[in-house]
Amino acid sequence: MDPTTIMAIACSVLVFTGWLVLPHAPKTVKPAVVVSEERQPVAISA
Amino acid sequence: MPGMKIDSGDTAWVLMSAALVMLMTPALGFFYGGLVRRKNVLSTIMHSFFILCLISVQWVLWGYSLAFGPDKAHIIGGLDWVGLNHVGLTPNADYAPTIPHQAYMLFQMMFAVITPALISGAFAERQRFKAFVLFSLLWATFVYDPIAHWVWGAGGWLHNLGTLDFAGGTVVHISSGVSALVAALVLGRRIGFGQGKFEPHNATMTVLGACLLWFGWFGFNAGSAVTSGTLATSAFVVTNTATAMAALTWMTVSWWHKRQPSVLGAAAGAVAGLVAITPASGFVNVMGAIVIGFGAGVVCYAAIQLRERIRVDDALDVWAVHGIGGTWGALATGLFATVAINTAGANGLFYGNPKQALIQLVAIGASWGWSIIGTFAILKLVNLIVPLRVGEDEEALGLDLSQHGEPAYADVSAF
């Protein structure tokens, strides 16, 4: 196995196994905010 | 010229690739446009759209001649091809012997278009449009065209030295990324920088822009084979692989560092991977692409942390992604290149040729040096003619209204 292949495998293993130790959920969750410029519903008559 | 016959498959692929690369510039506009505040989105998109128009004309008038015309002292192309004189429909043996010369010129035009557009991310939200116009034209002429000639032009000194740059790690990404850093330093920070985070106004627009960039980049890299055969296929495969690996790596590093798997981080990581594989795409195998993508995710993310620490307001991180990603890619080409992929290339350090890594370092140093000197001089010159920055009130109002008199959205009162 050449050095490039060994490095590629090592990089992939590092990333893939890294996910096992990462947090299950984000540290903080921002509440959803309704932006003020959201369009208001309009009544449409037939 | 005897022995040169136009190949319809090669021609079709290069024309299609030119169209793919053309799409990258408006895609960049959307990528950047999503990252700025809503009062500046239209001006940010306009930077990319305007440059598409400007360089399309500059390139046929004199840009192509300076970059690819008959060599003058190994530094610059001559003016023999101004106005596309002598650039016809018969192939040019030096650049692409199986397609019309104008097809090659058109393909290269799209590279010249996107490069100054990349810089615009550094001075977003504060540069005066008139100053931007002058800067872009001068920069394309005095920075991009010479570096393109050094590396890609027949007779260019870095070309003669043996530099490997398949699709523009030095010519496109180091030049634009380093120039972006200079521009950010010369223009100074935006009002309010450091007092709070400038939140991207539309992350979905940015992710869509990144996806379109990824799509167009297949033309950028695989099209640089200038043939439609095995080399284009290999470049296509390694481009996709490195991009995916860089996105995975960036997301993982930011997840570890910030405790969140960032969507914008994954998109930025993909772009970093595309940048890094660009110079190597015609010279490395798929294992090399994985290492290059991994490296791009790590070093570009680290560069952003450094940029934040030293408080440089490179608004959309052009230096970190393109300058540092391009530098890593150019160096990595000298490490992982193998003639098993491209017999016209050379082996890199890990295939028994350490000299190639040194050649790549020379090309990196030259690209950094000329970009710093040229960009600084051009910015100072432009500033003598028209102020580079808008006034404080114009910056507070937003560039969409202050520079273009048009809001991006119907209700612009809430930002």
Side-chain angles (χ1 to χ4, degrees):
Chain A
M1 205 180 289
D2 68 279
T4 308
T5 303
I6 293 169
M7 280 186 273
I9 292 171
C11 293
S12 304
V13 168
L14 195 60
V15 171
F16 294 169
T17 58
W19 295 335
L20 296 174
V21 298
L22 291 169
H24 299 312
K27 187 173 64 177
T28 55
V29 179
K30 290 180 183 174
V33 177
V34 178
V35 292
S36 59
E37 61 270 29
E38 192 93 3
R39 286 176 185 270
Q40 296 299 313
V42 291
I44 301 172
S45 56
Chain B
M1 190 175 284
M4 290 196 301
K5 185 173 179 296
I6 289 176
D7 182 293
S8 59
D10 292 349
T11 305
W13 172 236
V14 172
L15 289 175
M16 190 64 237
S17 293
L20 284 168
V21 182
M22 177 267 165
L23 180 67
M24 290 171 64
T25 300
L28 182 76
F30 281 96
F31 182 79
Y32 283 169
L35 290 171
V36 297
R37 289 166 290 178
R38 57 182 294 138
K39 62 183 177 181
N40 296 314
V41 57
L42 206 55
S43 69
T44 302
I45 290 174
M46 180 59 169
H47 285 160
S48 293
F49 189 81
F50 170 80
I51 282 183
L52 174 59
C53 305
L54 176 72
I55 304 302
S56 291
V57 176
Q58 183 264 4
W59 193 245
V60 299
L61 286 178
W62 66 80
Y64 184 66
S65 190
L66 291 177
F68 291 92
D71 179 69
K72 304 292 179 195
H74 312 298
I75 298 294
I76 192 76
L79 298 175
D80 312 53
W81 293 357
V82 162
L84 298 190
N85 193 27
H86 305 302
V87 181
L89 299 177
T90 53
N92 180 286
D94 288 332
Y95 298 122
T98 61
I99 65 172
H101 193 178
Q102 284 192 6
Y104 183 78
M105 179 279 301
L106 185 73
F107 180 63
Q108 288 297 338
M109 175 195 289
M110 299 310 167
F111 286 66
V113 164
I114 195 169
T115 309
L118 292 168
I119 306 171
S120 67
F123 44 60
E125 302 196 303
R126 62 198 187 282
Q127 190 177 39
R128 188 180 300 278
F129 186 71
K130 187 172 176 181
F132 165 77
V133 168
L134 291 173
F135 170 78
S136 298
L137 188 60
L138 292 170
W139 191 89
T141 302
F142 293 106
V143 178
Y144 180 84
D145 293 345
I147 295 179
H149 185 78
W150 297 353
V151 178
W152 289 335
W157 72 276
L158 287 174
H159 181 82
N160 291 346
L161 193 65
T163 300
L164 297 181
D165 187 352
F166 195 67
T170 53
V171 178
V172 174
H173 297 291
I174 290 179
S175 69
S176 60
V178 171
S179 298
L181 179 65
V182 174
L185 289 168
V186 171
L187 262 77
R189 305 179 186 114
R190 286 166 290 178
I191 297 170
F193 179 82
Q195 295 166 11
K197 198 169 180 222
F198 296 131
E199 292 289 350
H201 96 285
N202 190 336
T204 58
M205 185 188 281
T206 297
V207 176
L208 176 64
C211 293
L212 287 173
L213 280 169
W214 191 334
F215 177 74
W217 225 293
F218 293 132
F220 203 88
N221 288 359
S224 291
V226 207
T227 59
S228 57
T230 53
L231 187 57
T233 305
S234 175
F236 205 125
V237 171
V238 298
T239 297
N240 195 62
T241 304
T243 305
M245 188 64 187
L248 292 175
T249 304
W250 186 304
M251 186 198 72
T252 305
V253 172
S254 71
W255 196 345
W256 168 75
H257 184 217
K258 301 275 177 74
R259 318 307 288 171
Q260 293 173 329
S262 165
V263 180
L264 288 177
V271 175
L274 288 162
V275 169
I277 195 61
T278 292
S281 54
F283 304 112
V284 302
N285 60 28
V286 74
M287 291 295 110
I290 287 178
V291 182
I292 290 171
F294 177 85
V298 173
V299 299
C300 293
Y301 185 84
I304 287 183
Q305 308 315 308
L306 174 65
R307 197 269 306 156
E308 288 178 352
R309 184 161 294 187
I310 60 177
R311 292 174 49 78
V312 173
D313 191 11
D314 175 359
L316 307 180
D317 281 314
V318 186
W319 171 74
V321 173
H322 295 275
I324 298 301
T327 299
W328 160 242
L331 177 61
T333 306
L335 303 179
F336 301 111
T338 166
V339 292
I341 296 297
N342 187 346
T343 53
N347 281 323
L349 175 68
F350 291 115
Y351 294 89
N353 181 21
K355 186 184 168 196
Q356 190 60 42
L358 295 176
I359 292 172
Q360 296 301 110
L361 285 173
V362 171
I364 290 166
S367 305
W368 271 73
W370 186 242
S371 299
I372 291 170
I373 294 167
T375 303
F376 184 79
I378 291 168
L379 285 169
K380 289 298 179 186
L381 176 66
V382 171
N383 198 38
L384 293 175
I385 302 167
V386 55
L388 293 171
R389 278 187 79 138
V390 296
E392 286 191 11
D393 53 340
E394 293 172 305
E395 189 175 335
L397 178 65
L399 302 191
D400 291 359
L401 287 174
S402 72
Q403 299 299 295
H404 304 287
E406 296 168 317
Y409 304 103
D411 176 11
V412 79
S413 61
F415 48 75

